């Protein structure tokens, strides 16, 4: 990822069949939007929703929010037409559910290219046991693939597990997914939190996701935006420490010293690199 990456702290799903929701999204403090043609749209509304979502993506009315379109999955009756229409609309990215293999990533890459989707990125949803076991290969399969998106609801269901505070049943899967994303230098987003009335639980899960190394979180309701942006933004304390690390290291180098310390702790190049990453995230978030 670049030193000053595009922030994807908050990524809000918006139902493609709901015109009012698409209009409201133009004013929401979200880093990115997923205009949804899959789960949020009934079968008899798929075609109309596709037209509405593609028009929204082309409108230029969403400011600096990153606009993506989630198509219906590979093998569904709507998938190919969704890909063609979405690629022609030129959103920032096309989001594809239930991507299970590197071969599917390459298939999607070719389909987007064939539909004229130059400059359109691919986001792959990781939401099955097969995907978790193949996540490193999936992440590395294509340069067009920029972001992995955890589909934790589907993953819990396929594992015959349950949603519990702390997410113990899927912690290993979350960790494997982050490892796969980082090995391929890709962005990775945490899955949604279902209980929109439980702000305390949501904040705790955001903090957990940030600690795991996720770049941001997918959301299902606008009320989740502010706490999510806060959780995935560097704190003032982290920013101050990053600046101190860089200053101490540069001063040590200028003095010909091989060692620098901050608050009594040894500073190495890896700490300096991470400090630059933190400041880049802070600058990108402030520019939103």
């Amino acid at each position: 990822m670049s030193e000053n990456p595009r922030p994807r702290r908050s990524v809000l799903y918006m139902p493609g069949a709901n015109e009012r929701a698409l209009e409201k999204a133009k004013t929401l403090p979200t880093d990115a939007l997923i205009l949804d043609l899959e789960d949020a749209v009934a079968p008899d509304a798929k075609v109309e929703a596709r037209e509405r979502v593609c028009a929204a993506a082309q409108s230029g009315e969403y400011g600096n929010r990153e606009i993506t379109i989630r198509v219906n999955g590979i093998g569904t009756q709507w998938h190919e037409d969704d890909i063609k229409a979405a690629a022609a609309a030129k959103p920032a990215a096309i989001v594809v559910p239930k991507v299970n293999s590197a071969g599917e990533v390459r298939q999607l890459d070719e389909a987007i290219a064939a539909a004229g989707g130059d400059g359109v990125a691919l986001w792959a949803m990781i939401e099955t046991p097969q995907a978790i076991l193949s996540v490193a290969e999936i992440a590395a399969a294509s340069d067009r693939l920029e972001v992995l998106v955890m589909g934790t609801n589907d993953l819990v269901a396929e594992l015959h597990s349950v949603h519990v505070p702390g997410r113990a049943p899927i912690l290993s899967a979350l960790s494997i997914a982050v490892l796969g994303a980082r090995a391929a230098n890709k962005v990775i987003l945490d899955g949604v939190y279902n209980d929109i009335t439980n702000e305390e639980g949501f904040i705790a899960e955001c903090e957990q996701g940030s600690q795991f190394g996720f770049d941001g979180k997918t959301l299902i309701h606008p009320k989740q935006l502010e706490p999510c942006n806060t959780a995935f933004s560097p704190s003032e304390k982290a920013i101050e420490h990053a600046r101190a690390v860089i200053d101490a290291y540069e001063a040590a180098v200028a003095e010909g010293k091989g060692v620098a310390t901050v608050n009594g702790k040894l500073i190495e190049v890896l700490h300096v690199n991470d400090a630059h990453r933190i400041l880049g995230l802070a600058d990108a978030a402030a520019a939103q």
Side-chain angles (χ1 to χ4, degrees), residues 126 132-133 135-136 148 150 152 155 166-183 188-190 208-209 211-214:
I126 306 300
I132 293 297
L133 294 174
V135 68
L148 302 182
M150 293 303 300
T152 45
L155 182 60
R167 300 193 288 184
I170 61 168
L171 290 183
S172 59
L174 295 175
S175 182
I176 289 168
V178 172
L179 284 168
R182 294 292 173 251
I188 184 164
L189 303 175
D190 199 359
Q208 180 194 53
Q211 291 166 0
F212 258 66
F214 286 100

Side-chain angles (χ1 to χ4, degrees), residues 119-185:
V120 178
L122 172 64
W123 293 14
M125 295 199 67
I126 306 300
E127 47 191 337
T128 66
Q130 183 179 351
I132 293 297
L133 294 174
S134 304
V135 68
E137 291 81 8
I138 289 170
S142 167
D143 289 339
R144 188 188 298 274
L145 176 60
E146 292 184 357
V147 178
L148 302 182
V149 182
M150 293 303 300
T152 45
N153 281 341
D154 283 82
L155 182 60
V156 167
E158 294 215 11
L159 290 173
H160 303 168
S161 182
V162 293
H163 291 280
V164 296
R167 300 193 288 184
I170 61 168
L171 290 183
S172 59
L174 295 175
S175 182
I176 289 168
V178 172
L179 284 168
R182 294 292 173 251
N185 200 31

Side-chain angles (χ1 to χ4, degrees), residues 172-268:
S172 59
L174 295 175
S175 182
I176 289 168
V178 172
L179 284 168
R182 294 292 173 251
N185 200 31
K186 301 296 171 73
V187 171
I188 184 164
L189 303 175
D190 199 359
V192 301
Y193 185 81
N194 298 312
D195 186 356
I196 61 174
T197 67
N198 186 353
E199 183 176 4
E200 182 179 347
F202 175 70
I203 291 172
E205 190 165 292
C206 286
E207 291 174 350
Q208 180 194 53
S210 177
Q211 291 166 0
F212 258 66
F214 286 100
D215 296 285
K217 191 170 182 66
T218 49
L219 310 173
I220 58 173
H221 195 279
K223 70 187 297 183
Q224 298 176 326
L225 287 167
E226 184 177 349
C228 185
N229 284 336
T230 298
F232 286 97
S233 296
S235 66
E236 286 300 321
K237 182 177 180 180
I239 292 169
E240 290 176 7
H241 180 71
R243 288 174 178 154
V245 165
I246 293 169
D247 290 346
Y249 185 79
E250 290 179 348
V253 170
E255 295 172 7
K257 296 179 179 179
V259 176
T261 61
V262 172
N263 297 327
K265 295 182 180 179
L266 182 67
I267 299 302
E268 300 182 74

Side-chain angles (χ1 to χ4, degrees), residues 263-277:
N263 297 327
K265 295 182 180 179
L266 182 67
I267 299 302
E268 300 182 74
V269 172
L270 65 92
H271 300 116
V272 178
N273 291 339
D274 196 52
H276 281 294
R277 179 188 66 84

Side-chain angles (χ1 to χ4, degrees), residues 3 10 15 24 26 31 37 44-45 81 91 104 125 145 196 210 242 254 270 276 280 283 288:
E3 189 171 297
S10 53
K24 181 178 181 180
K26 298 174 184 178
D31 289 339
L37 298 177
D44 60 357
D81 288 339
E104 289 183 350
M125 295 199 67
L145 176 60
I196 61 174
S210 177
L270 65 92
H276 281 294
D283 289 343
Q288 281 296 96

